[in-house]
Structure formats: C-alpha cells, structure tokens
Amino acid sequence: MLTRIDHIGIACFDLDATVEFYRATYGFEVFHTEVNEEQGVREAMLRINGTDDGGASYLQLLEPIREDSPVGKWLAKNGEGVHHIAFGTADVDGDAAAIRGKGVRVLYDEPRRGSMDSRITFLHPKDCHGVLTELVTSAAAATTEH
C-alpha cells in the first residue's frame, strides 16, 4: 500500500546552484547527498517533513554525471524541472506486482538500489498520464520487512 509522497525528483544542470536556491528561498537544508553510478546522477535529498508512517518527504535534486544517463537525456530534451514523483511503500515488490497486474508497465523486473539504500522501481509515464512514477521502500522499511 502506498503510504506517502516520498519525494519529488527535480532534474537540474547544476546541483550546487539548485541546492542553494532551495536553501536561500525556502530554507530547506540538505539531508543526504550521494552519487548513484548506476543511475548516472549526483543527487541531494532535501528533507521537507516527517510523515505519519515514520518516513519523510523530500525534494530530490538530480544532476547527471553522464550525458547518456536517463536524467541527462531527459534534461537535454526537456530542460530543468520536475522529473518524477515517488510514492513510499513498505513493500515495493508487492505493490509493483499489483500495479503491473492492473496493466501498468513496471520498468524494472526487480527493484534496484535507490537513494539512501532504498529499493526502487519506476512505472512507465505513458501508463501514468505522462508522469514518471517511482515506488520506494526506504532502507529502514526494507530491513524490518525482510
């Protein structure tokens, strides 16, 4: 069951400048940074608030480290802006299977590692009214579940 908006992914050309904008404009501070080689991005997670299920909601700022990465290709085509929305779940495998059963294309056969050691998969935007949608199980939820 989807429990919250985990994060909104925002593609940007310059991660440091974008972080500074969100810090100076809204007072959001960086909670976590990392480079995800598999996804080809350098990212910053800005924590917005805690949630009833013990998780949190974030803005995820994404700067490509390779032009041929999914975010790099997306930026070249669309420019900066909202890249995807992610919903939190305690069971990314089960929810992905249930959604697949409703005819929505799930982009990964098996969930992959995401930010902060989470487990993630994506749903095809053409099946989600033009919105690239991510399902996320946080590392803490995945640890207690398995």
Side-chain angles (χ1 to χ4, degrees):
M1 176 175 105
L2 305 180
T3 58
R4 69 183 182 285
I5 295 175
D6 185 86
H7 65 271
I8 305 294
I10 300 172
C12 60
F13 291 111
D14 182 333
L15 184 65
D16 297 328
T18 307
V19 164
E20 179 54 24
F21 169 81
Y22 281 96
R23 189 202 60 71
T25 306
Y26 305 114
F28 298 152
E29 296 295 338
V30 173
F31 179 80
H32 175 83
T33 61
E34 71 180 82
V35 173
N36 185 322
E37 293 288 343
E38 181 182 1
Q39 298 290 326
V41 294
R42 185 169 77 103
E43 64 181 81
M45 297 293 275
L46 288 71
R47 188 175 189 273
I48 307 305
N49 66 327
T51 59
D52 291 344
D53 67 356
S57 293
Y58 302 90
L59 286 180
Q60 178 187 44
L61 307 179
L62 301 159
E63 176 189 55
I65 57 174
R66 298 187 309 269
E67 288 181 13
D68 67 341
S69 71
V71 171
K73 291 175 186 176
W74 190 90
L75 269 170
K77 181 179 178 183
N78 300 293
E80 293 184 310
V82 174
H83 180 262
H84 67 275
I85 185 169
F87 295 108
T89 173
D91 182 8
V92 69
D93 299 273
D95 283 335
I99 292 169
R100 181 182 281 124
K102 294 176 182 179
V104 174
R105 288 173 281 179
V106 177
L107 298 183
Y108 305 150
D109 290 332
E110 294 292 325
R112 297 181 181 178
R113 188 190 79 75
S115 298
M116 300 183 290
D117 290 323
S118 62
R119 297 182 70 242
I120 66 166
T121 195
F122 285 91
L123 309 178
H124 200 293
K126 289 185 179 176
D127 297 343
C128 299
H129 296 271
V131 178
L132 179 61
T133 304
E134 182 179 4
L135 304 180
V136 179
T137 296
S138 70
T143 301
T144 58
E145 177 184 310
H146 292 99

PDB file of all heavy atoms in Angstrom, residues 22-43:
ATOM      1  N   TYR A  22      17.093  26.428  -3.264  1.00  0.00           N
ATOM      2  CA  TYR A  22      16.098  25.889  -2.333  1.00  0.00           C
ATOM      3  C   TYR A  22      16.432  26.241  -0.881  1.00  0.00           C
ATOM      4  O   TYR A  22      15.523  26.440  -0.064  1.00  0.00           O
ATOM      5  CB  TYR A  22      15.937  24.380  -2.518  1.00  0.00           C
ATOM      6  CG  TYR A  22      15.068  24.068  -3.705  1.00  0.00           C
ATOM      7  CD1 TYR A  22      15.622  23.780  -4.944  1.00  0.00           C
ATOM      8  CD2 TYR A  22      13.686  24.098  -3.594  1.00  0.00           C
ATOM      9  CE1 TYR A  22      14.827  23.523  -6.042  1.00  0.00           C
ATOM     10  CE2 TYR A  22      12.872  23.845  -4.692  1.00  0.00           C
ATOM     11  CZ  TYR A  22      13.449  23.567  -5.912  1.00  0.00           C
ATOM     12  OH  TYR A  22      12.645  23.320  -7.004  1.00  0.00           O
ATOM     13  N   ARG A  23      17.716  26.359  -0.556  1.00  0.00           N
ATOM     14  CA  ARG A  23      18.117  26.759   0.787  1.00  0.00           C
ATOM     15  C   ARG A  23      17.772  28.228   1.021  1.00  0.00           C
ATOM     16  O   ARG A  23      17.110  28.577   1.998  1.00  0.00           O
ATOM     17  CB  ARG A  23      19.611  26.521   1.009  1.00  0.00           C
ATOM     18  CG  ARG A  23      20.034  26.714   2.482  1.00  0.00           C
ATOM     19  CD  ARG A  23      21.511  27.000   2.636  1.00  0.00           C
ATOM     20  NE  ARG A  23      21.938  28.221   1.937  1.00  0.00           N
ATOM     21  CZ  ARG A  23      21.628  29.473   2.302  1.00  0.00           C
ATOM     22  NH1 ARG A  23      20.877  29.703   3.336  1.00  0.00           N
ATOM     23  NH2 ARG A  23      22.068  30.497   1.609  1.00  0.00           N
ATOM     24  N   ALA A  24      18.203  29.090   0.107  1.00  0.00           N
ATOM     25  CA  ALA A  24      18.006  30.528   0.273  1.00  0.00           C
ATOM     26  C   ALA A  24      16.542  30.934   0.150  1.00  0.00           C
ATOM     27  O   ALA A  24      16.079  31.831   0.863  1.00  0.00           O
ATOM     28  CB  ALA A  24      18.846  31.294  -0.761  1.00  0.00           C
ATOM     29  N   THR A  25      15.804  30.289  -0.734  1.00  0.00           N
ATOM     30  CA  THR A  25      14.426  30.679  -0.989  1.00  0.00           C
ATOM     31  C   THR A  25      13.447  30.098   0.020  1.00  0.00           C
ATOM     32  O   THR A  25      12.543  30.788   0.494  1.00  0.00           O
ATOM     33  CB  THR A  25      14.014  30.261  -2.413  1.00  0.00           C
ATOM     34  OG1 THR A  25      14.958  30.804  -3.341  1.00  0.00           O
ATOM     35  CG2 THR A  25      12.624  30.761  -2.760  1.00  0.00           C
ATOM     36  N   TYR A  26      13.604  28.824   0.354  1.00  0.00           N
ATOM     37  CA  TYR A  26      12.618  28.136   1.194  1.00  0.00           C
ATOM     38  C   TYR A  26      13.165  27.682   2.540  1.00  0.00           C
ATOM     39  O   TYR A  26      12.413  27.192   3.385  1.00  0.00           O
ATOM     40  CB  TYR A  26      12.071  26.907   0.460  1.00  0.00           C
ATOM     41  CG  TYR A  26      11.497  27.228  -0.888  1.00  0.00           C
ATOM     42  CD1 TYR A  26      12.104  26.731  -2.042  1.00  0.00           C
ATOM     43  CD2 TYR A  26      10.363  28.014  -1.034  1.00  0.00           C
ATOM     44  CE1 TYR A  26      11.590  27.019  -3.297  1.00  0.00           C
ATOM     45  CE2 TYR A  26       9.849  28.307  -2.285  1.00  0.00           C
ATOM     46  CZ  TYR A  26      10.463  27.801  -3.411  1.00  0.00           C
ATOM     47  OH  TYR A  26       9.956  28.082  -4.647  1.00  0.00           O
ATOM     48  N   GLY A  27      14.465  27.785   2.737  1.00  0.00           N
ATOM     49  CA  GLY A  27      15.051  27.353   3.989  1.00  0.00           C
ATOM     50  C   GLY A  27      15.278  25.853   4.093  1.00  0.00           C
ATOM     51  O   GLY A  27      15.583  25.337   5.166  1.00  0.00           O
ATOM     52  N   PHE A  28      15.138  25.113   2.988  1.00  0.00           N
ATOM     53  CA  PHE A  28      15.360  23.668   3.002  1.00  0.00           C
ATOM     54  C   PHE A  28      16.855  23.371   3.070  1.00  0.00           C
ATOM     55  O   PHE A  28      17.648  23.989   2.369  1.00  0.00           O
ATOM     56  CB  PHE A  28      14.780  22.997   1.751  1.00  0.00           C
ATOM     57  CG  PHE A  28      13.291  23.149   1.593  1.00  0.00           C
ATOM     58  CD1 PHE A  28      12.720  23.132   0.340  1.00  0.00           C
ATOM     59  CD2 PHE A  28      12.443  23.289   2.686  1.00  0.00           C
ATOM     60  CE1 PHE A  28      11.347  23.258   0.168  1.00  0.00           C
ATOM     61  CE2 PHE A  28      11.074  23.421   2.530  1.00  0.00           C
ATOM     62  CZ  PHE A  28      10.528  23.407   1.268  1.00  0.00           C
ATOM     63  N   GLU A  29      17.222  22.424   3.910  1.00  0.00           N
ATOM     64  CA  GLU A  29      18.616  22.035   4.060  1.00  0.00           C
ATOM     65  C   GLU A  29      18.842  20.639   3.498  1.00  0.00           C
ATOM     66  O   GLU A  29      17.916  19.816   3.471  1.00  0.00           O
ATOM     67  CB  GLU A  29      19.031  22.073   5.529  1.00  0.00           C
ATOM     68  CG  GLU A  29      18.983  23.462   6.146  1.00  0.00           C
ATOM     69  CD  GLU A  29      19.987  24.453   5.546  1.00  0.00           C
ATOM     70  OE1 GLU A  29      20.998  24.008   4.961  1.00  0.00           O
ATOM     71  OE2 GLU A  29      19.746  25.667   5.660  1.00  0.00           O
ATOM     72  N   VAL A  30      20.051  20.368   3.085  1.00  0.00           N
ATOM     73  CA  VAL A  30      20.407  19.061   2.539  1.00  0.00           C
ATOM     74  C   VAL A  30      20.424  18.034   3.668  1.00  0.00           C
ATOM     75  O   VAL A  30      21.074  18.239   4.698  1.00  0.00           O
ATOM     76  CB  VAL A  30      21.774  19.109   1.827  1.00  0.00           C
ATOM     77  CG1 VAL A  30      22.225  17.715   1.411  1.00  0.00           C
ATOM     78  CG2 VAL A  30      21.712  20.044   0.628  1.00  0.00           C
ATOM     79  N   PHE A  31      19.702  16.957   3.481  1.00  0.00           N
ATOM     80  CA  PHE A  31      19.650  15.848   4.430  1.00  0.00           C
ATOM     81  C   PHE A  31      20.660  14.761   4.059  1.00  0.00           C
ATOM     82  O   PHE A  31      21.244  14.130   4.920  1.00  0.00           O
ATOM     83  CB  PHE A  31      18.232  15.265   4.441  1.00  0.00           C
ATOM     84  CG  PHE A  31      18.053  14.096   5.358  1.00  0.00           C
ATOM     85  CD1 PHE A  31      17.884  14.286   6.712  1.00  0.00           C
ATOM     86  CD2 PHE A  31      18.047  12.798   4.863  1.00  0.00           C
ATOM     87  CE1 PHE A  31      17.713  13.212   7.570  1.00  0.00           C
ATOM     88  CE2 PHE A  31      17.883  11.715   5.705  1.00  0.00           C
ATOM     89  CZ  PHE A  31      17.716  11.924   7.066  1.00  0.00           C
ATOM     90  N   HIS A  32      20.881  14.572   2.738  1.00  0.00           N
ATOM     91  CA  HIS A  32      21.737  13.481   2.259  1.00  0.00           C
ATOM     92  C   HIS A  32      22.209  13.819   0.848  1.00  0.00           C
ATOM     93  O   HIS A  32      21.455  14.387   0.063  1.00  0.00           O
ATOM     94  CB  HIS A  32      20.921  12.183   2.241  1.00  0.00           C
ATOM     95  CG  HIS A  32      21.645  11.018   1.659  1.00  0.00           C
ATOM     96  ND1 HIS A  32      22.526  10.256   2.384  1.00  0.00           N
ATOM     97  CD2 HIS A  32      21.620  10.477   0.412  1.00  0.00           C
ATOM     98  CE1 HIS A  32      23.005   9.297   1.610  1.00  0.00           C
ATOM     99  NE2 HIS A  32      22.474   9.411   0.415  1.00  0.00           N
ATOM    100  N   THR A  33      23.459  13.456   0.538  1.00  0.00           N
ATOM    101  CA  THR A  33      23.967  13.565  -0.831  1.00  0.00           C
ATOM    102  C   THR A  33      24.634  12.253  -1.199  1.00  0.00           C
ATOM    103  O   THR A  33      25.116  11.519  -0.332  1.00  0.00           O
ATOM    104  CB  THR A  33      24.996  14.703  -0.989  1.00  0.00           C
ATOM    105  OG1 THR A  33      26.111  14.447  -0.143  1.00  0.00           O
ATOM    106  CG2 THR A  33      24.391  16.053  -0.680  1.00  0.00           C
ATOM    107  N   GLU A  34      24.642  11.961  -2.480  1.00  0.00           N
ATOM    108  CA  GLU A  34      25.359  10.782  -2.973  1.00  0.00           C
ATOM    109  C   GLU A  34      25.484  10.854  -4.479  1.00  0.00           C
ATOM    110  O   GLU A  34      24.790  11.619  -5.146  1.00  0.00           O
ATOM    111  CB  GLU A  34      24.670   9.483  -2.553  1.00  0.00           C
ATOM    112  CG  GLU A  34      23.353   9.182  -3.241  1.00  0.00           C
ATOM    113  CD  GLU A  34      22.744   7.866  -2.764  1.00  0.00           C
ATOM    114  OE1 GLU A  34      22.088   7.862  -1.706  1.00  0.00           O
ATOM    115  OE2 GLU A  34      22.925   6.861  -3.470  1.00  0.00           O
ATOM    116  N   VAL A  35      26.376  10.009  -4.986  1.00  0.00           N
ATOM    117  CA  VAL A  35      26.486   9.782  -6.422  1.00  0.00           C
ATOM    118  C   VAL A  35      25.975   8.363  -6.658  1.00  0.00           C
ATOM    119  O   VAL A  35      26.429   7.425  -6.015  1.00  0.00           O
ATOM    120  CB  VAL A  35      27.942   9.928  -6.919  1.00  0.00           C
ATOM    121  CG1 VAL A  35      28.062   9.513  -8.388  1.00  0.00           C
ATOM    122  CG2 VAL A  35      28.421  11.359  -6.721  1.00  0.00           C
ATOM    123  N   ASN A  36      25.005   8.232  -7.558  1.00  0.00           N
ATOM    124  CA  ASN A  36      24.473   6.923  -7.916  1.00  0.00           C
ATOM    125  C   ASN A  36      24.989   6.610  -9.320  1.00  0.00           C
ATOM    126  O   ASN A  36      24.457   7.116 -10.315  1.00  0.00           O
ATOM    127  CB  ASN A  36      22.941   6.923  -7.862  1.00  0.00           C
ATOM    128  CG  ASN A  36      22.332   5.566  -8.112  1.00  0.00           C
ATOM    129  OD1 ASN A  36      22.810   4.801  -8.941  1.00  0.00           O
ATOM    130  ND2 ASN A  36      21.258   5.277  -7.393  1.00  0.00           N
ATOM    131  N   GLU A  37      26.059   5.817  -9.370  1.00  0.00           N
ATOM    132  CA  GLU A  37      26.690   5.492 -10.655  1.00  0.00           C
ATOM    133  C   GLU A  37      25.736   4.762 -11.585  1.00  0.00           C
ATOM    134  O   GLU A  37      25.705   5.018 -12.790  1.00  0.00           O
ATOM    135  CB  GLU A  37      27.947   4.644 -10.423  1.00  0.00           C
ATOM    136  CG  GLU A  37      29.070   5.370  -9.713  1.00  0.00           C
ATOM    137  CD  GLU A  37      29.767   6.415 -10.562  1.00  0.00           C
ATOM    138  OE1 GLU A  37      29.625   6.400 -11.806  1.00  0.00           O
ATOM    139  OE2 GLU A  37      30.446   7.269  -9.963  1.00  0.00           O
ATOM    140  N   GLU A  38      24.947   3.831 -11.040  1.00  0.00           N
ATOM    141  CA  GLU A  38      24.022   3.055 -11.865  1.00  0.00           C
ATOM    142  C   GLU A  38      23.009   3.952 -12.566  1.00  0.00           C
ATOM    143  O   GLU A  38      22.717   3.781 -13.742  1.00  0.00           O
ATOM    144  CB  GLU A  38      23.290   2.021 -11.002  1.00  0.00           C
ATOM    145  CG  GLU A  38      22.327   1.157 -11.807  1.00  0.00           C
ATOM    146  CD  GLU A  38      21.570   0.155 -10.952  1.00  0.00           C
ATOM    147  OE1 GLU A  38      21.761   0.124  -9.726  1.00  0.00           O
ATOM    148  OE2 GLU A  38      20.789  -0.601 -11.541  1.00  0.00           O
ATOM    149  N   GLN A  39      22.490   4.952 -11.833  1.00  0.00           N
ATOM    150  CA  GLN A  39      21.520   5.876 -12.421  1.00  0.00           C
ATOM    151  C   GLN A  39      22.200   7.046 -13.148  1.00  0.00           C
ATOM    152  O   GLN A  39      21.544   7.784 -13.869  1.00  0.00           O
ATOM    153  CB  GLN A  39      20.592   6.426 -11.333  1.00  0.00           C
ATOM    154  CG  GLN A  39      19.771   5.364 -10.637  1.00  0.00           C
ATOM    155  CD  GLN A  39      18.695   4.776 -11.524  1.00  0.00           C
ATOM    156  OE1 GLN A  39      18.110   5.460 -12.363  1.00  0.00           O
ATOM    157  NE2 GLN A  39      18.438   3.498 -11.363  1.00  0.00           N
ATOM    158  N   GLY A  40      23.505   7.213 -12.929  1.00  0.00           N
ATOM    159  CA  GLY A  40      24.241   8.276 -13.604  1.00  0.00           C
ATOM    160  C   GLY A  40      23.932   9.666 -13.089  1.00  0.00           C
ATOM    161  O   GLY A  40      23.883  10.620 -13.870  1.00  0.00           O
ATOM    162  N   VAL A  41      23.734   9.795 -11.758  1.00  0.00           N
ATOM    163  CA  VAL A  41      23.391  11.098 -11.191  1.00  0.00           C
ATOM    164  C   VAL A  41      24.177  11.386  -9.921  1.00  0.00           C
ATOM    165  O   VAL A  41      24.593  10.488  -9.202  1.00  0.00           O
ATOM    166  CB  VAL A  41      21.884  11.217 -10.862  1.00  0.00           C
ATOM    167  CG1 VAL A  41      21.039  11.169 -12.116  1.00  0.00           C
ATOM    168  CG2 VAL A  41      21.442  10.179  -9.847  1.00  0.00           C
ATOM    169  N   ARG A  42      24.323  12.679  -9.686  1.00  0.00           N
ATOM    170  CA  ARG A  42      24.753  13.199  -8.390  1.00  0.00           C
ATOM    171  C   ARG A  42      23.494  13.823  -7.815  1.00  0.00           C
ATOM    172  O   ARG A  42      22.760  14.533  -8.521  1.00  0.00           O
ATOM    173  CB  ARG A  42      25.839  14.255  -8.604  1.00  0.00           C
ATOM    174  CG  ARG A  42      26.457  14.776  -7.330  1.00  0.00           C
ATOM    175  CD  ARG A  42      27.709  15.609  -7.624  1.00  0.00           C
ATOM    176  NE  ARG A  42      27.409  16.939  -8.110  1.00  0.00           N
ATOM    177  CZ  ARG A  42      27.484  18.047  -7.377  1.00  0.00           C
ATOM    178  NH1 ARG A  42      27.860  17.990  -6.116  1.00  0.00           N
ATOM    179  NH2 ARG A  42      27.215  19.215  -7.902  1.00  0.00           N
ATOM    180  N   GLU A  43      23.201  13.535  -6.550  1.00  0.00           N
ATOM    181  CA  GLU A  43      21.917  13.979  -6.023  1.00  0.00           C
ATOM    182  C   GLU A  43      22.026  14.535  -4.614  1.00  0.00           C
ATOM    183  O   GLU A  43      22.958  14.234  -3.882  1.00  0.00           O
ATOM    184  CB  GLU A  43      20.915  12.835  -6.033  1.00  0.00           C
ATOM    185  CG  GLU A  43      21.297  11.683  -5.126  1.00  0.00           C
ATOM    186  CD  GLU A  43      20.291  10.563  -5.178  1.00  0.00           C
ATOM    187  OE1 GLU A  43      20.352   9.761  -6.123  1.00  0.00           O
ATOM    188  OE2 GLU A  43      19.450  10.504  -4.259  1.00  0.00           O
TER     189      GLU A  43
END
